[in-house]
Amino acid sequence: MNFYLINEFIGWIGGILFSICALPQVIHTWRTKKTEGLSSWFLIIWFTGEILSFFYVIAKDIMTSIFHFPLYLNYGLNIILILYLFYAKIKYK
């Protein structure tokens, strides 16, 4: 097995794990309809970090023509999950 395939496999596993980190919180919030434990500042900082990092990776990938699809999965899914948590924070207040 060559190094490239091992590296891609590790990247995808890491991307998937990072992508689903917020899933337990989203499921808990959806089931209980409670968000009092979620800090608005935490969500704002996390969202901003995800957006900036996502744009950085995309811009760098375009410049180098080396694409990091596991990172796209990570950032894209996290952005969606954070947006739901923002929505829930407003709706279930």
Side-chain angles (χ1 to χ4, degrees), residues 31-88:
R31 284 184 180 163
T32 64
K33 310 291 190 247
K34 294 180 183 175
T35 61
E36 66 266 357
L38 281 174
S39 164
S40 295
W41 280 109
F42 167 73
L43 292 174
I44 291 167
I45 293 168
W46 182 20
F47 181 74
T48 304
E50 292 286 342
I51 292 290
L52 294 175
S53 296
F54 195 27
F55 284 128
Y56 169 79
V57 168
I58 290 172
K60 184 96 172 178
D61 286 0
I62 290 169
M63 289 188 288
T64 63
S65 296
I66 300 171
F67 299 97
H68 297 91
F69 296 109
L71 292 177
Y72 302 166
L73 172 71
N74 172 26
Y75 294 123
L77 188 55
N78 269 320
I79 289 167
I80 291 167
L81 295 176
I82 295 166
L83 288 172
Y84 169 76
L85 291 173
F86 272 124
Y87 166 77

Side-chain angles (χ1 to χ4, degrees), residues 20-36:
I20 63 173
C21 279
L23 208 49
Q25 182 63 54
V26 167
I27 292 169
H28 175 75
T29 300
W30 180 67
R31 284 184 180 163
T32 64
K33 310 291 190 247
K34 294 180 183 175
T35 61
E36 66 266 357

Side-chain angles (χ1 to χ4, degrees), residues 1-36:
M1 187 175 275
N2 69 31
F3 179 74
Y4 175 79
L5 290 177
I6 294 170
N7 194 43
E8 279 296 301
F9 178 75
I10 290 170
W12 276 105
I13 296 300
I16 290 167
L17 291 175
F18 275 132
S19 296
I20 63 173
C21 279
L23 208 49
Q25 182 63 54
V26 167
I27 292 169
H28 175 75
T29 300
W30 180 67
R31 284 184 180 163
T32 64
K33 310 291 190 247
K34 294 180 183 175
T35 61
E36 66 266 357

